[in-house]
Amino acid sequence: MADDASARARDGGEEDGGGAGTTTKSDKLVKREAEKAAKKAAKEAAKEAKAKAAAQRSRNAGGVVTVQCSTTPPVELDACSGTRDWYPEEFRLQRWLYEKFRETAKSTGFEEYDAPVLERQELYKRKAGEEITQQMYAFVDQDGVDVTLRPEMTPTLARMVLGRAASMMLPLKWFSIPQCWRFETTQRGRKREHYQWNMDIIGCKSVNAEVELLFAVCAFFKSIGITSADVGIKVNSRKVMASVLDSYGITDEKFAPVCVVMDKLDKIGADAVKEELELTQGLPAETANKIVDCLACKSVDELQALCGDGVDQSGIDELKRLFELAEDYGYGDWLIFDASVVRGLAYYTGIVFEGFDRAGELRAICGGGRYDKLLSLYGAVTEVPACGFGFGDCVIVELLKDKGLLPNIPKSVEFVVAAFNESMQGKAMKTASLIRAGGAEVDMLLEPKKKVANTFDYANRVGARYIVFVAPQEWENDMVRIKDLRADYTDKDEEKQIDVKISDLGRALEVLRAHEASVGAANKMGSMTVS
Ligand code: HAM
């Protein structure tokens, strides 16, 4: 009581006179609350610091070691410019993305292939002035062969198909996720090495092939949470553009190098494209103007109206059919016609397309098209129709980051096996081996911890679901104790663990799931009876 009274007095519990120069009751209350809050915060901060120090001590006691590195190491520790190291946390994300590529390709009936990253330079010797051929990591090997790290996969695919020409039943539907190397200026979404998901169909003349490929691209986007509001795919036809340019007097031979220049429209703008068409391709200013005007067309009909009879009707029909079939397939909303998309690679001959972010912040997400003449260039006696796309792993990650869609994939393992002490280590290893034989993932604690808390710390750090304790008492009874670290089916500690017979370790997961189901069901019944 006395305390209460003095506290009241101290805190201004009695009414103030309220005269000039005196503090009101509410001022005092506010001050007191603020002091209280500050005290509480200081107390919590001290508690947190103490807990951190304790955790650090326990880590030290648990033998957690970190690497110390000199501030002036004798070698450069960063990866080469434009290339990436894949630390486990980044690698987990990479695997997630590639699995999505893979699942999409497999769900559409494509088969996976691969090839060496080293190729002969001759595969890429094309005269159109493409950037890619100037960006190669090319060198002469010790046999005197001109080789290069592959800048793209399409020539390799063509080489492989022709390498077994006689036994290839067409159409082929193949996919791959190769690493490609281009000596580019590094920027957001563009590196000097990237992994490029490729899907190609060899041996199908009809536009149904492109429709199938575009289905896969859209299905992939959807599978990672990207919608048609985020991304679109611009579609055009080189066949149509060739006919238009032919009507402007540009011959077949000139067409590919002119496309390489037209492809720069997004990057360098209309005036620079006109200038380059005049300077490097020797086109009259009037023709260069006409070309740039026609690149601005935003519908097939507009292009047809602008270019009149000069337009290749079969190319227009293909484009129209592609848009119709995309509607039937249910992804029409992803596609738009864009006459400025001609792609920078010389070998495209028909429909071409490019994925872009609708916010307009990023470089092309993916790109592809039809390349009916490439295999003839490498020795096919008759024309082999082909089309496909390449989809890099850089821009898409930037887009996922921007949209907050990158998943958090923590480190995880099913079991940690921990020996009670060094003399039980052999038994613990036997335990690990028996559980692994049943197909489960097991991380063996390499040095037994003196304190059980350190074993828990370790298990949490590696993301384990279960700890298997191998201790003399249970072992004498042909058992090991398994603790579930993420048991959400019970609050009772004793129900979170179970002794499992050594002879049952090969089916440990099955035993644990049965335990979880029975405890979970019993607890559910219990809570229903109580309510
Ligand atoms: P591409 O347009 O040169 O086509 O590349 C395709 C995709 O690869 C680009 O849209 C982009 O996602 C990615 N990519 C290209 N260069 C880089 C880079 N330096 N850094 C990061 N990502 C990059 C081709 O390569 C064709 N071979 C695709 C193809 C397959 N056409 C038919 N089949």
Side-chain angles (χ1 to χ4, degrees):
M1 283 291 278
D3 278 357
D4 273 1
S6 60
R8 266 204 311 278
R10 195 176 57 241
D11 296 337
E14 318 273 310
E15 279 289 339
D16 272 272
T22 58
T23 327
T24 63
K25 181 184 174 187
S26 63
D27 283 342
K28 283 191 172 177
L29 266 176
V30 169
K31 195 173 161 209
R32 197 182 72 193
E33 291 300 327
E35 279 169 4
K36 257 187 174 174
K39 254 188 193 168
K40 197 174 163 201
K43 226 176 170 179
E44 271 169 12
K47 208 169 142 191
E48 199 179 315
K50 215 171 153 188
K52 266 191 187 160
Q56 186 57 47
R57 273 199 307 280
S58 113
R59 273 203 294 279
N60 293 344
V64 174
V65 180
T66 52
V67 178
Q68 305 272 311
C69 182
S70 150
T71 48
T72 52
V75 294
E76 176 59 63
L77 298 178
D78 289 337
C80 292
S81 177
T83 71
R84 296 162 291 175
D85 288 325
W86 297 96
Y87 286 88
E89 57 274 25
E90 287 135 20
F91 200 67
R92 286 200 288 276
L93 204 63
Q94 191 216 55
R95 289 291 121 187
W96 168 81
L97 187 70
Y98 298 1
E99 264 328 292
K100 295 283 179 190
F101 286 153
R102 216 166 250 126
E103 279 165 19
T104 308
K106 287 192 168 174
S107 77
T108 43
F110 282 62
E111 274 189 297
E112 190 163 7
Y113 70 100
D114 203 357
V117 68
L118 197 67
E119 274 291 3
R120 290 183 194 82
Q121 286 178 33
E122 64 183 1
L123 273 190
Y124 310 93
K125 286 200 171 134
R126 305 183 286 245
K127 291 186 201 108
E130 302 152 289
E131 238 180 351
I132 200 170
T133 57
Q134 293 140 28
Q135 294 170 330
M136 294 197 299
Y137 278 83
F139 58 98
V140 182
D141 74 7
Q142 293 181 31
D143 280 340
V145 181
D146 290 339
V147 291
T148 180
L149 300 184
R150 68 179 159 224
E152 56 155 337
M153 196 62 167
T154 316
T156 302
L157 169 67
R159 176 180 69 68
M160 286 173 68
V161 171
L162 289 171
R164 295 209 182 152
S167 60
M168 292 291 175
M169 301 281 285
L170 302 180
L172 296 177
K173 295 180 183 176
W174 284 9
F175 82 96
S176 185
I177 312 174
Q179 191 183 31
C180 299
W181 291 83
R182 301 181 187 181
F183 197 82
E184 284 211 42
T185 311
T186 309
Q187 50 180 285
R188 192 170 183 221
R190 285 290 180 271
K191 307 221 169 278
R192 291 188 176 162
E193 52 76 25
H194 70 282
Y195 286 83
Q196 196 191 86
W197 173 39
N198 277 249
M199 280 181 66
D200 289 87
I201 300 179
I202 310 284
C204 176
K205 265 190 195 157
S206 113
V207 76
N208 294 353
E210 283 91 330
V211 173
E212 200 62 10
L213 293 168
L214 288 166
F215 171 86
V217 172
C218 297
F220 166 76
F221 280 129
K222 286 186 209 159
S223 78
I224 56 169
I226 299 283
T227 68
S228 60
D230 306 318
V231 160
I233 303 172
K234 295 175 184 169
V235 182
N236 191 15
S237 162
R238 271 212 184 184
K239 196 197 269 183
V240 170
M241 297 314 278
S243 64
V244 172
L245 266 59
D246 184 60
S247 73
Y248 299 159
I250 291 157
T251 56
D252 269 2
E253 204 179 276
K254 266 256 178 259
F255 176 66
V258 167
C259 279
V260 170
V261 180
M262 295 195 303
D263 182 60
K264 297 181 186 168
L265 186 72
D266 259 2
K267 250 199 241 170
I268 63 176
D271 289 341
V273 166
K274 277 185 211 164
E275 198 179 308
E276 214 176 296
L277 286 173
E278 289 173 47
L279 291 179
T280 66
Q281 305 303 315
L283 301 187
E286 194 198 344
T287 310
N289 279 335
K290 273 191 191 167
I291 290 178
V292 171
D293 284 349
C294 118
L295 295 185
C297 288
K298 294 288 179 227
S299 77
V300 181
D301 292 334
E302 195 187 332
L303 181 72
Q304 205 167 10
L306 182 79
C307 305
D309 292 342
V311 182
D312 178 287
Q313 194 53 45
S314 70
I316 293 282
D317 292 345
E318 269 170 16
L319 273 171
K320 289 191 170 166
R321 182 78 182 135
L322 180 143
F323 281 99
E324 260 171 39
L325 289 171
E327 285 297 332
D328 290 342
Y329 234 145
Y331 66 83
D333 52 329
W334 292 76
L335 303 190
I336 59 165
F337 173 79
D338 187 329
S340 72
V341 170
V342 284
R343 313 263 305 126
L345 294 163
Y347 48 65
Y348 291 116
T349 51
I351 300 275
V352 279
F353 52 87
E354 224 165 67
F356 69 102
D357 71 304
R358 294 196 193 258
E361 313 245 305
L362 301 164
R363 297 279 307 269
I365 305 173
C366 59
R370 179 164 285 278
Y371 51 97
D372 284 349
K373 295 194 182 350
L374 187 65
L375 277 83
S376 312
L377 201 69
Y378 296 156
V381 177
T382 51
E383 191 169 290
V384 182
C387 59
F389 67 79
F391 193 127
D393 67 338
C394 301
V395 180
I396 189 64
V397 168
E398 293 301 318
L399 184 67
L400 289 171
K401 265 189 216 157
D402 287 357
K403 302 265 165 218
L405 289 172
L406 262 191
N408 173 28
I409 307 172
K411 180 173 167 57
S412 76
V413 66
E414 283 163 328
F415 293 91
V416 158
V417 172
F420 177 75
N421 56 23
E422 190 55 39
S423 71
M424 294 301 288
Q425 191 67 10
K427 316 261 185 307
M429 286 174 162
K430 177 177 176 168
T431 300
S433 155
L434 290 170
I435 301 176
R436 284 175 188 150
E441 301 163 349
V442 180
D443 182 329
M444 183 72 218
L445 187 69
L446 296 177
E447 289 168 332
K449 309 280 184 201
K450 287 206 178 80
K451 289 187 185 159
V452 77
N454 292 332
T455 303
F456 279 99
D457 271 358
Y458 178 83
N460 283 329
R461 193 148 45 83
V462 298
R465 165 88 194 252
Y466 303 104
I467 300 185
V468 185
F469 291 104
V470 183
Q473 206 180 332
E474 286 83 32
W475 194 264
E476 271 161 26
N477 295 321
D478 293 328
M479 303 270 202
V480 292
R481 181 154 295 172
I482 303 186
K483 173 132 191 163
D484 186 344
L485 301 179
R486 276 179 262 148
D488 53 7
Y489 44 86
T490 177
D491 295 331
K492 295 176 205 132
D493 256 0
E494 65 278 14
E495 288 180 350
K496 293 182 182 171
Q497 63 188 28
I498 168 177
D499 289 347
V500 177
K501 280 192 201 146
I502 294 169
S503 57
D504 279 343
L505 286 175
R507 48 180 210 97
L509 278 175
E510 194 188 313
V511 172
L512 288 159
R513 279 181 196 135
H515 169 75
E516 175 178 342
S518 78
V519 171
N523 283 334
K524 211 167 168 192
M525 283 289 283
S527 69
M528 277 162 64
T529 319
V530 169
S531 64

